[in-house]
Amino acid sequence: MFRNGGDYRLARKLDADAAVEIKQLPREDQLQILQENIVARAHQAFEKSKKWYNLKAREIQYRPGQEVWKRNFVFSDFSRNINAKFCKRYSQCRIMRPVGKNMYGLENLHGIRLGVFHAKDLKQ
């Protein structure tokens, strides 16, 4: 006898027919089936998100002396008549040296040091 809708789902998983009498599984077995289902779905969701992430992610290694474009971080300032949406988004600079795995020391094209920036703020 089925007591709720969850029993029908369990019967389908066990390939049991509705016409055949189904024995009620012990609570431990039901929880085990539920846990296996949750683990399988979590792994499936992980694989799907990993696929989309790997389409966009790319590893880039810059060399010293290479010219790149650095993102400018400009804020609007009413007192100085600056509107951020009209400012340049990127400026050209040169890689001085790598600092760590994803950080790079930069200088502008005139040789003035700009500081250390993350690779995500750089583009070729």
Side-chain angles (χ1 to χ4, degrees), residues 67-116:
E67 291 186 3
V68 294
W69 292 89
K70 171 190 72 76
R71 181 183 301 275
N72 291 330
F73 299 100
V74 180
F75 296 106
S76 297
D77 188 359
F78 182 74
S79 65
R80 297 187 322 169
N81 294 329
I82 295 176
N83 191 341
K85 70 179 179 180
F86 296 129
C87 294
K88 292 182 178 179
R89 300 243 189 263
Y90 292 92
S91 61
Q92 197 168 9
C93 57
R94 189 176 299 121
I95 302 288
M96 287 183 358
R97 68 193 191 306
V99 180
K101 187 173 181 180
N102 292 318
M103 304 291 282
Y104 294 93
L106 300 179
E107 64 182 4
N108 66 6
L109 298 179
H110 303 293
I112 299 172
R113 292 183 179 204
L114 299 175
V116 177

Side-chain angles (χ1 to χ4, degrees), residues 48-62:
K48 183 178 178 181
S49 64
K50 182 176 99 172
K51 182 182 87 171
W52 282 104
Y53 176 81
N54 288 339
L55 286 175
K56 297 177 185 176
R58 55 192 161 91
E59 283 190 33
I60 296 179
Q61 297 294 324
Y62 296 110

Side-chain angles (χ1 to χ4, degrees), residues 16-51:
D17 226 354
V20 180
E21 181 180 331
I22 297 176
K23 296 179 182 177
Q24 186 68 14
L25 289 176
R27 183 74 173 159
E28 297 83 22
D29 293 340
Q30 289 179 355
L31 291 176
Q32 182 67 27
I33 292 171
L34 182 63
Q35 181 183 11
E36 290 171 1
N37 188 13
I38 290 172
V39 168
R41 287 178 184 249
H43 183 69
Q44 187 180 27
F46 167 76
E47 290 295 327
K48 183 178 178 181
S49 64
K50 182 176 99 172
K51 182 182 87 171

